[in-house]
Amino acid sequence: MDLQSLILPLLIVLLAVPLFLQARKQKRAVAEQQKLQNSIAPGDKVMTTSGMFGTVVSTSDDSIDLEIAPGMTTTWVRAAVREKVNTDTAAEAKKDQVSAEANSAEAAVITESKAEVAEPIEQQKIN
C-alpha cells in the first residue's frame, strides 16, 4: 500500500473521533442536568439560570415554586434550575471574601500615597 491510499481513511478518522467524543460529552452533561432537575425537592436551595437564588417550596411535573424572600414565592419552569446550592460552601465563601476585604483594607492603610493635591480651579485663576 502506498501513502496516498491511507490519507483519506486517516483524515476521516481524525475528523470522526473528536466529533464522537464531543457528542458523548454533551450527552453526559444533558443526563446530569436531567438528574439534577428530577432530584429537586422542597427545602432545597437552588440557583436558576438567570442567577436568582431561592428555596424550593413545592414541585410539580414541569414547574417549581421558589421562595426568593420571606413570604414571596415565584413559579419557575423546572428546566430553569441550574444547580443546587450548598449553604455550607456559600457561608465559607462569604467568610473568605470578608477576610480578603479586611486584608486589602489593611494593605491600603499601610501603603501611603505620595500624590499631591492640586489647588482648586478658582484659586488657580486668581494666581
Side-chain angles (χ1 to χ4, degrees):
M1 284 184 107
D2 62 342
L3 185 62
Q4 288 183 343
S5 63
L6 292 176
I7 290 178
L8 183 61
L10 184 61
L11 185 62
I12 291 173
V13 168
L14 287 175
L15 292 176
V17 169
L19 289 175
F20 174 74
L21 294 175
Q22 182 179 8
R24 278 188 61 196
K25 183 178 177 181
Q26 186 176 9
K27 192 174 187 179
R28 190 177 316 126
V30 168
E32 283 182 26
Q33 189 69 16
Q34 189 69 30
K35 181 180 173 185
L36 168 75
Q37 290 172 357
N38 289 335
S39 71
I40 295 172
D44 290 340
K45 296 193 183 318
V46 296
M47 182 177 78
T48 64
T49 54
S50 61
M52 179 159 311
F53 291 91
T55 304
V56 178
V57 177
S58 66
T59 62
S60 67
D61 289 340
D62 60 345
S63 65
I64 59 171
D65 291 333
L66 292 181
E67 183 177 38
I68 55 176
M72 179 174 279
T73 304
T74 58
T75 302
W76 292 76
V77 176
R78 209 178 258 271
V81 174
R82 175 179 292 161
E83 63 187 53
K84 285 187 181 180
V85 178
N86 187 353
T87 54
D88 296 336
T89 309
E92 289 176 14
K94 187 172 183 178
K95 183 177 152 184
D96 291 342
Q97 181 182 9
V98 168
S99 66
E101 289 174 359
N103 290 341
S104 66
E106 290 174 6
V109 170
I110 293 171
T111 58
E112 295 180 15
S113 175
K114 304 291 184 202
E116 295 180 15
V117 179
E119 292 182 20
I121 295 176
E122 293 81 23
Q123 289 195 359
Q124 287 179 1
K125 291 179 183 177
I126 296 172
N127 295 338

Short mmCIF file of all heavy atoms in Angstrom, two decimals, residues 10-36:
data_model
loop_
_atom_site.label_atom_id
_atom_site.label_comp_id
_atom_site.label_asym_id
_atom_site.label_seq_id
_atom_site.Cartn_x
_atom_site.Cartn_y
_atom_site.Cartn_z
N LEU A 10 -7.31 8.00 7.05
CA LEU A 10 -6.72 8.65 8.22
C LEU A 10 -7.39 10.01 8.48
O LEU A 10 -7.66 10.36 9.63
CB LEU A 10 -5.22 8.84 7.99
CG LEU A 10 -4.44 9.42 9.16
CD1 LEU A 10 -4.53 8.51 10.37
CD2 LEU A 10 -2.99 9.64 8.77
N LEU A 11 -7.68 10.74 7.44
CA LEU A 11 -8.36 12.02 7.57
C LEU A 11 -9.77 11.84 8.14
O LEU A 11 -10.20 12.61 9.00
CB LEU A 11 -8.42 12.72 6.20
CG LEU A 11 -9.01 14.13 6.18
CD1 LEU A 11 -8.15 15.07 7.03
CD2 LEU A 11 -9.08 14.63 4.76
N ILE A 12 -10.47 10.84 7.69
CA ILE A 12 -11.83 10.56 8.19
C ILE A 12 -11.77 10.21 9.68
O ILE A 12 -12.59 10.70 10.47
CB ILE A 12 -12.49 9.44 7.36
CG1 ILE A 12 -12.79 9.96 5.97
CG2 ILE A 12 -13.76 8.95 8.04
CD1 ILE A 12 -13.28 8.89 5.00
N VAL A 13 -10.82 9.40 10.07
CA VAL A 13 -10.68 9.02 11.47
C VAL A 13 -10.34 10.25 12.32
O VAL A 13 -10.90 10.44 13.40
CB VAL A 13 -9.61 7.92 11.64
CG1 VAL A 13 -9.24 7.73 13.11
CG2 VAL A 13 -10.08 6.62 11.03
N LEU A 14 -9.45 11.10 11.84
CA LEU A 14 -9.06 12.29 12.60
C LEU A 14 -10.21 13.28 12.78
O LEU A 14 -10.24 14.03 13.74
CB LEU A 14 -7.87 12.98 11.93
CG LEU A 14 -6.53 12.27 12.06
CD1 LEU A 14 -5.46 13.00 11.25
CD2 LEU A 14 -6.12 12.16 13.50
N LEU A 15 -11.15 13.29 11.86
CA LEU A 15 -12.31 14.17 11.99
C LEU A 15 -13.44 13.51 12.79
O LEU A 15 -14.17 14.18 13.50
CB LEU A 15 -12.82 14.57 10.61
CG LEU A 15 -11.89 15.48 9.81
CD1 LEU A 15 -12.45 15.72 8.42
CD2 LEU A 15 -11.66 16.80 10.53
N ALA A 16 -13.59 12.20 12.67
CA ALA A 16 -14.70 11.50 13.31
C ALA A 16 -14.50 11.33 14.82
O ALA A 16 -15.45 11.42 15.59
CB ALA A 16 -14.90 10.15 12.65
N VAL A 17 -13.28 11.08 15.26
CA VAL A 17 -13.03 10.83 16.68
C VAL A 17 -13.37 12.05 17.54
O VAL A 17 -14.09 11.90 18.54
CB VAL A 17 -11.57 10.36 16.91
CG1 VAL A 17 -11.21 10.34 18.38
CG2 VAL A 17 -11.37 8.99 16.30
N PRO A 18 -12.94 13.27 17.24
CA PRO A 18 -13.34 14.41 18.07
C PRO A 18 -14.85 14.65 18.07
O PRO A 18 -15.42 15.02 19.10
CB PRO A 18 -12.60 15.60 17.45
CG PRO A 18 -11.45 15.01 16.73
CD PRO A 18 -11.92 13.66 16.26
N LEU A 19 -15.50 14.45 16.94
CA LEU A 19 -16.95 14.61 16.89
C LEU A 19 -17.64 13.60 17.80
O LEU A 19 -18.60 13.93 18.51
CB LEU A 19 -17.46 14.47 15.46
CG LEU A 19 -17.10 15.62 14.51
CD1 LEU A 19 -17.55 15.30 13.09
CD2 LEU A 19 -17.74 16.90 14.99
N PHE A 20 -17.17 12.36 17.78
CA PHE A 20 -17.74 11.32 18.63
C PHE A 20 -17.55 11.66 20.10
O PHE A 20 -18.47 11.54 20.91
CB PHE A 20 -17.10 9.97 18.29
CG PHE A 20 -17.51 8.87 19.21
CD1 PHE A 20 -18.77 8.31 19.10
CD2 PHE A 20 -16.64 8.39 20.18
CE1 PHE A 20 -19.17 7.29 19.95
CE2 PHE A 20 -17.03 7.37 21.03
CZ PHE A 20 -18.29 6.82 20.91
N LEU A 21 -16.36 12.10 20.48
CA LEU A 21 -16.08 12.44 21.87
C LEU A 21 -16.89 13.64 22.34
O LEU A 21 -17.36 13.69 23.47
CB LEU A 21 -14.58 12.69 22.07
CG LEU A 21 -13.68 11.47 21.88
CD1 LEU A 21 -12.22 11.87 21.98
CD2 LEU A 21 -14.02 10.38 22.87
N GLN A 22 -17.07 14.61 21.47
CA GLN A 22 -17.86 15.79 21.81
C GLN A 22 -19.32 15.41 22.02
O GLN A 22 -19.97 15.90 22.95
CB GLN A 22 -17.74 16.84 20.72
CG GLN A 22 -18.48 18.12 21.03
CD GLN A 22 -18.33 19.14 19.92
OE1 GLN A 22 -17.79 18.86 18.86
NE2 GLN A 22 -18.81 20.34 20.16
N ALA A 23 -19.86 14.53 21.20
CA ALA A 23 -21.24 14.09 21.34
C ALA A 23 -21.43 13.34 22.66
O ALA A 23 -22.45 13.53 23.34
CB ALA A 23 -21.63 13.22 20.16
N ARG A 24 -20.47 12.52 23.04
CA ARG A 24 -20.56 11.80 24.32
C ARG A 24 -20.54 12.77 25.49
O ARG A 24 -21.30 12.61 26.45
CB ARG A 24 -19.39 10.82 24.46
CG ARG A 24 -19.61 9.53 23.74
CD ARG A 24 -18.54 8.52 24.07
NE ARG A 24 -18.54 8.22 25.50
CZ ARG A 24 -17.55 7.62 26.12
NH1 ARG A 24 -16.45 7.29 25.46
NH2 ARG A 24 -17.62 7.35 27.40
N LYS A 25 -19.68 13.77 25.42
CA LYS A 25 -19.58 14.76 26.50
C LYS A 25 -20.89 15.53 26.65
O LYS A 25 -21.37 15.75 27.76
CB LYS A 25 -18.42 15.71 26.21
CG LYS A 25 -18.16 16.73 27.28
CD LYS A 25 -16.96 17.59 26.93
CE LYS A 25 -16.73 18.65 27.97
NZ LYS A 25 -15.60 19.51 27.64
N GLN A 26 -21.46 15.93 25.54
CA GLN A 26 -22.72 16.68 25.58
C GLN A 26 -23.85 15.80 26.10
O GLN A 26 -24.69 16.25 26.89
CB GLN A 26 -23.05 17.20 24.19
CG GLN A 26 -24.27 18.10 24.18
CD GLN A 26 -24.52 18.69 22.80
OE1 GLN A 26 -23.88 18.30 21.83
NE2 GLN A 26 -25.45 19.61 22.73
N LYS A 27 -23.88 14.55 25.71
CA LYS A 27 -24.92 13.63 26.17
C LYS A 27 -24.80 13.42 27.69
O LYS A 27 -25.81 13.37 28.39
CB LYS A 27 -24.77 12.29 25.44
CG LYS A 27 -25.91 11.36 25.60
CD LYS A 27 -25.71 10.14 24.71
CE LYS A 27 -26.92 9.25 24.72
NZ LYS A 27 -26.77 8.10 23.84
N ARG A 28 -23.59 13.33 28.19
CA ARG A 28 -23.36 13.17 29.63
C ARG A 28 -23.83 14.41 30.39
O ARG A 28 -24.45 14.30 31.45
CB ARG A 28 -21.89 12.92 29.90
CG ARG A 28 -21.59 12.50 31.32
CD ARG A 28 -20.12 12.17 31.56
NE ARG A 28 -19.53 11.37 30.50
CZ ARG A 28 -18.42 11.70 29.84
NH1 ARG A 28 -17.79 12.82 30.12
NH2 ARG A 28 -17.94 10.92 28.89
N ALA A 29 -23.56 15.60 29.85
CA ALA A 29 -23.98 16.84 30.51
C ALA A 29 -25.51 16.95 30.56
O ALA A 29 -26.07 17.37 31.58
CB ALA A 29 -23.39 18.04 29.78
N VAL A 30 -26.16 16.56 29.49
CA VAL A 30 -27.63 16.59 29.46
C VAL A 30 -28.19 15.62 30.48
O VAL A 30 -29.16 15.92 31.19
CB VAL A 30 -28.15 16.29 28.04
CG1 VAL A 30 -29.64 16.03 28.04
CG2 VAL A 30 -27.81 17.44 27.10
N ALA A 31 -27.58 14.44 30.60
CA ALA A 31 -28.05 13.45 31.57
C ALA A 31 -27.87 13.95 33.00
O ALA A 31 -28.76 13.76 33.85
CB ALA A 31 -27.30 12.13 31.37
N GLU A 32 -26.76 14.61 33.29
CA GLU A 32 -26.53 15.17 34.62
C GLU A 32 -27.56 16.25 34.95
O GLU A 32 -28.08 16.31 36.06
CB GLU A 32 -25.13 15.74 34.73
CG GLU A 32 -24.04 14.73 34.89
CD GLU A 32 -22.67 15.37 35.03
OE1 GLU A 32 -22.59 16.52 35.49
OE2 GLU A 32 -21.69 14.70 34.68
N GLN A 33 -27.84 17.11 33.99
CA GLN A 33 -28.82 18.18 34.20
C GLN A 33 -30.22 17.60 34.44
O GLN A 33 -30.95 18.06 35.31
CB GLN A 33 -28.83 19.14 33.00
CG GLN A 33 -29.64 20.38 33.22
CD GLN A 33 -29.03 21.32 34.24
OE1 GLN A 33 -27.87 21.22 34.60
NE2 GLN A 33 -29.82 22.24 34.73
N GLN A 34 -30.57 16.57 33.70
CA GLN A 34 -31.87 15.91 33.87
C GLN A 34 -31.95 15.27 35.25
O GLN A 34 -32.98 15.35 35.92
CB GLN A 34 -32.06 14.85 32.77
CG GLN A 34 -33.45 14.27 32.74
CD GLN A 34 -34.48 15.27 32.28
OE1 GLN A 34 -34.20 16.17 31.50
NE2 GLN A 34 -35.69 15.12 32.78
N LYS A 35 -30.87 14.63 35.68
CA LYS A 35 -30.83 14.00 37.01
C LYS A 35 -31.01 15.06 38.10
O LYS A 35 -31.75 14.85 39.06
CB LYS A 35 -29.51 13.27 37.18
CG LYS A 35 -29.35 12.56 38.50
CD LYS A 35 -27.99 11.87 38.57
CE LYS A 35 -27.74 11.30 39.95
NZ LYS A 35 -26.39 10.73 40.06
N LEU A 36 -30.35 16.21 37.95
CA LEU A 36 -30.48 17.30 38.91
C LEU A 36 -31.92 17.79 38.98
O LEU A 36 -32.48 17.96 40.06
CB LEU A 36 -29.55 18.46 38.54
CG LEU A 36 -29.80 19.77 39.29
CD1 LEU A 36 -29.29 19.67 40.73
CD2 LEU A 36 -29.18 20.92 38.58
#
